[in-house]
Amino acid sequence: MKQFQYTRALTQQSAIEAIAKPGTKIIAGGTNLIDLMKRGVTAPDKLVDINHLPLKNITATKTGLHIGALALNSVVSENSLVLQKQPLLSMALKAGASPQLRNMATVGGNMMQRTRCSYFYDTTMPCNKRAPGTGCGAMEGINRMHAIFGTSDQCIAVNPSDMSVGLAALDAVAIIAGKKGERRIPFTEFHRLPGDHPELDNHLAAGEMIVGVEIPDNNFAKNSYYLKVRDRQSYAFALVSVAAALEISNGTIKNARLAMGGVAHKPWRLFDAEKALIGKPATEDSFKQAAQIAMQGAKGYQYNSFKLKLAPATITEALKHAAGLA
Amino acid sequence: MTKGMSRIDGRLKVTGAARYSAEFTPAGMVYGVLVGSTITKGSIRLIDTKAAERAPGVLKVITWLNSPKIAGYQVEHGKPEPAKGTYKLFYNNKILFNGQPIAVVVADSFERALFAASLVKAQYNADPHHTNLRDNAAKAFAPEGDGTTKRGTEDAWKTAPVKLEQEYIIPSEVHSPMELHAIIAKWDAEDKLTVWTKTQGVQDTRDGIAGIFKLPKENIQVNSKFVGGAFGSALQVWPHEVAAILAAKAVKRPVKLLLGRADMFTSVGYRPYTWQKIGIGATADGKLVGITHEAIGQTSTYEDFNEGPIGVSRSTYACPNVNTIYKLAALDIGSPTWMRGPGEATGAFALESALDELSYELKIDPIELRMKNYASTDPESGKPFSSKFLDEAYKLGAEGINWKDRNAKPASVTKDGWMVGYGMGGGMFGAYRDKAAAKAILMADGTLIIQTAVSDIGPGTGTAMVTIAAGVMGIPADKIRFDMGDSSLPLAPSQGGSATTATVGSAVYQACTDLKEKFQKLIGNGGTDHPDYAAILKQHSLPKLEVTVESSGGTERDKYAFYSWSVHFIKVLVHPATGVVKVDRAVCVADSGSIVSPKTARSQIVGGAIGGIGMALMEETVIDHRYGNIVNNNFADYHVPVNADIPQIEALFVNKPDPHINPMGAKGMGEIALIGMAAAVANAVYNATGKRVRELPITPDKLVGMDLELS
């Protein structure tokens, strides 16, 4: 590992000033960054530890729920406001990683975690995300875990987060601070698709940091579910995961939110399927139709074509659970 | 709660007081880190170590160019290099597998050695490589040892009224012990060496090192008091151990060398990928007519590893006609090695799956089919079994799992949206008894010390030995000290092949029996069964009394066929939409003679069962054959079961002594705990879904691809 400097930011302002310098990275829980540094995937000159900044609070606002960027995944998942207002987020968090990791990982860090594509981690392999222009090892390689939506000829990696799938479904807003102050962007527009720049995971500009997320109040608490299909029951990334939230009135769907994980370079919100659900009866047939709509444009590769079947099945199952039908 | 003694080292282990091989710090110790090849086959054209040598704290970088000659590697003058043999570290510039060590960097701290290792740059001449068994099966060859055999008529199964032929595949698996392999090598003199290393046998490691470095055995001291799991991965002297010993000599300081988790996939062996085909036929009422069992396993290009997976088909069932074919495909991957249930675990997946398939063809209950073909004598040797109570094990297991709840029609039961299925699969493994010695010393304070050079890789050997000693001597366990894991102690074989309790336990039993007799002689006739040993010593002004005995099996091994048996019963839930398999219940029954140490026996069954569930559902080493490297060489991507995957495992024992194996009547248990489990799970999945997965692991993608639905 390359030698690096470590400093502790005492104020948000000083953190923002510090990260303006190239080669500087923020460290919070470090659950992903340290691995990346050990493997030589990233080699920052300087780490700025932000763990002492006052960004841990979870508070109800007039319009929603504010969660500080440094709130721990474990704390958020057990928080009474979260459980009451946004149980889907709690479910998504608990589906991720392991209890030990959730005790270290922060909300902001979770948003920043990088793909788990093995070609990205192995520095002897080609990878356009790690080393632009070297090619994609996964495209013709072992791509069982890889994307079926929104891929480019540069990269077929997936975003590994469960939390982000929940936040994308819940219309969350990411609050970002930089030298010029704060800006807010829809969570669904925080992460990027790979396109011609797979080295970029998100739209965070140089010198910016995540300070929190906000989730607007909604009527989904009663009918939401996070279903993660994986090779083992804990500490495994999603083959496919689905965050499903419904507002049901007299058996009819008034409103719906759906997002998928394990299928794209970003949390994959299913806007068309949501629209198709509105006004429909909350039945398995409606859910299956929505799942079919959700799959439009999906493309499988050698080892991940099973996701073309698994993804719609998982959407249907998640909706059934959300609607209380399973 | 199971009765019996708790682990004698349990407290040391959970408090961190148990010191493993990496946890010693001899004065002046420095650190070695290996650099692995990034190509899979070819040769090193250039290796640049200058940057590494200049890096802070670096003492030495050893490559094939400057490696001291290793005496045991040298070929006698004028003789040709042997075509096959153990891998020779830094011997020449040839690359035989991805990850092969090409350099060892020694520095004054682990971090500095690790950093300097990243600066070693090699250029290669790469040759085309072959890492895919299926593409190289045509080139497979018959190895020495077990392979092509015939009993009765070849391919007789084809003449049977009910028959089937199917292919079964198990992928390569890695041992994945929690404790990483590590060694500390310290030269005490020019020709005297002490090592602390992870090994299943301190004396075999001593002898291995003696052979490689041409040292007298008595000049080598090997210590390995605690081992955090090994599963077969520590039964030989590996290249990283040679590297540390070599490096320690070169820098004239003790060297510690630890493998990282990724190294564990390339440096200490694995269970070989194996393709199998079984043809099996029976009469309409279920009497087996013939079995043909064919297998092709992977080996390296430099060594033939023969684990004989076809043996199970010869001795498990009473079948008049059995023929086997076993071949090896040499691939550009490091050599495989023994892994828990070696050979039989692979073979039993195929045989026990095939038997299950046959049971559905015949419409006969799988247990009934096995009972119809129950072997009361070893069908292969014709010898009687030393003991076999597998029929009782079937009964115990069937009751335990509520086998009567199984619906013989597949895909016919659901509960809460999950498909429900039951399956069973059996295991067998030779019950060995090797030669071992033990010393028993009764001290003036009444303490009993037992010494033998055995290792304990986790099953609780010390606990079992103390239980045996306590039983013979009538001394409470807390007054007994058990010394082990030290090559200077009395003879003991490596812990492997499920033979330790039967072998070393016999020596301990004998030593204690002889010691007690010595005391009986001192006090003359009429003494009590458990005399006050300390008082007798005092009375006779003796500081201590000791006995050393060597013990081994005798002619009984010519008269009987010795096997341990197991059967696993599994209830699974399979989700029809997502293909997720959950093991809902597991009942495992062992017929392994008398149970010496009930608590550790139970945990051994539980551990083996979990290993078997991992084999069935998730374990798989994945290679990108374009490059020949392993892509999932870490614990996030190589899946072993976590607690959430495992139900309460019910371990049951027939617990009847084997009258012939040894004084305790105890047979081995480590291997049979795993053997047959993968088939039991696959068979339960079939019962639940009507879909047969013949290539492990049974991951959701495979079942989703089969379109599960209720029949």
Side-chain angles (χ1 to χ4, degrees), chain B residues 346-500:
Chain B
T346 299
F349 170 60
L351 178 66
E352 292 294 284
S353 293
L355 225 75
D356 197 66
E357 299 204 40
L358 188 64
S359 78
Y360 285 94
E361 291 284 327
L362 290 162
K363 297 191 172 17
I364 295 178
D365 181 276
I367 303 172
E368 196 190 330
L369 177 61
R370 284 164 175 83
M371 283 309 299
K372 276 178 184 279
N373 296 283
Y374 195 77
S376 298
T377 56
D378 179 11
E380 186 66 10
S381 66
K383 294 179 198 170
F385 290 117
S386 60
S387 66
K388 183 179 178 184
F389 304 104
L390 184 58
D391 48 350
E392 292 184 32
Y394 289 151
K395 280 192 196 121
L396 279 172
E399 276 168 30
I401 198 90
N402 294 324
W403 187 252
K404 59 183 184 330
D405 290 349
R406 168 183 176 270
N407 191 321
K409 188 179 167 216
S412 56
V413 182
T414 52
K415 187 172 184 287
D416 301 332
W418 294 74
M419 305 172 98
V420 182
Y422 292 82
M424 51 90 65
M428 51 93 80
F429 199 81
Y432 301 103
R433 180 183 174 186
D434 211 336
K435 188 160 72 177
K439 187 180 204 174
I441 315 162
L442 206 298
M443 306 298 287
D445 64 356
T447 306
L448 176 67
I449 300 170
I450 305 290
Q451 297 184 320
T452 175
V454 71
S455 291
D456 180 357
I457 59 174
T461 299
T463 310
M465 297 305 131
V466 168
T467 305
I468 290 169
V472 176
M473 299 287 289
I475 294 176
D478 60 3
K479 298 274 272 180
I480 303 174
R481 190 182 94 198
F482 184 64
D483 293 344
M484 53 168 283
D486 170 342
S487 62
S488 68
L489 295 175
L491 174 80
S494 287
Q495 182 155 77
S498 300
T500 300

Side-chain angles (χ1 to χ4, degrees), chain A residues 21-41:
Chain A
K21 287 198 188 113
T24 303
K25 278 191 187 293
I26 284 175
I27 184 163
T31 57
N32 188 203
L33 181 62
I34 300 295
D35 278 350
L36 293 166
M37 290 170 68
K38 281 189 192 169
R39 296 287 296 266
V41 178

Side-chain angles (χ1 to χ4, degrees), chain A residues 119 137 141 144 232-233 309, chain B residues 624 626 635 640 645 701 707:
Chain A
Y119 299 91
R144 180 171 176 265
R232 64 178 168 193
Q233 292 309 305
K309 276 188 184 174
Chain B
D624 183 335
R626 297 171 304 166
F635 269 178
V640 297
D645 297 302
D701 50 327
D707 296 319

Side-chain angles (χ1 to χ4, degrees), chain A residues 1-3 38-39 116-119 121-122 124-126 136-142 144-145 227-237 239 303 306-307 309-310 313-314 317 320-321 326, chain B residues 38 56 111-112 114-115 118 575 577-582 617-618 622-627 629-642 644-645 699-702 704-707:
Chain A
M1 201 196 286
K2 192 177 80 173
Q3 298 224 358
K38 281 189 192 169
R39 296 287 296 266
R116 306 290 164 156
C117 172
S118 51
Y119 299 91
Y121 273 79
D122 185 341
T124 69
M125 291 283 116
C136 173
M139 197 84 67
E140 313 263 315
I142 305 297
R144 180 171 176 265
M145 299 300 289
L227 180 59
K228 181 178 183 180
V229 181
R230 46 183 155 175
D231 289 322
R232 64 178 168 193
Q233 292 309 305
S234 178
Y235 192 50
F237 296 101
L239 296 169
Y303 296 104
F306 71 92
K307 292 188 182 182
K309 276 188 184 174
L310 179 59
T314 310
E317 279 305 305
K320 278 164 68 181
H321 278 279
Chain B
T38 57
E111 291 78 7
R112 285 171 149 185
L114 195 62
F115 176 64
S118 74
H575 199 281
T578 62
V580 169
V581 178
K582 284 186 191 171
L617 297 182
M618 57 192 84
V622 181
I623 293 175
D624 183 335
H625 296 298
R626 297 171 304 166
Y627 303 102
N629 69 325
I630 296 169
V631 300
N632 62 340
N633 58 359
N634 59 77
F635 269 178
D637 297 320
Y638 181 94
H639 295 147
V640 297
V642 295
D645 297 302
T699 43
D701 50 327
K702 288 181 184 158
V704 164
M706 290 175 160
D707 296 319

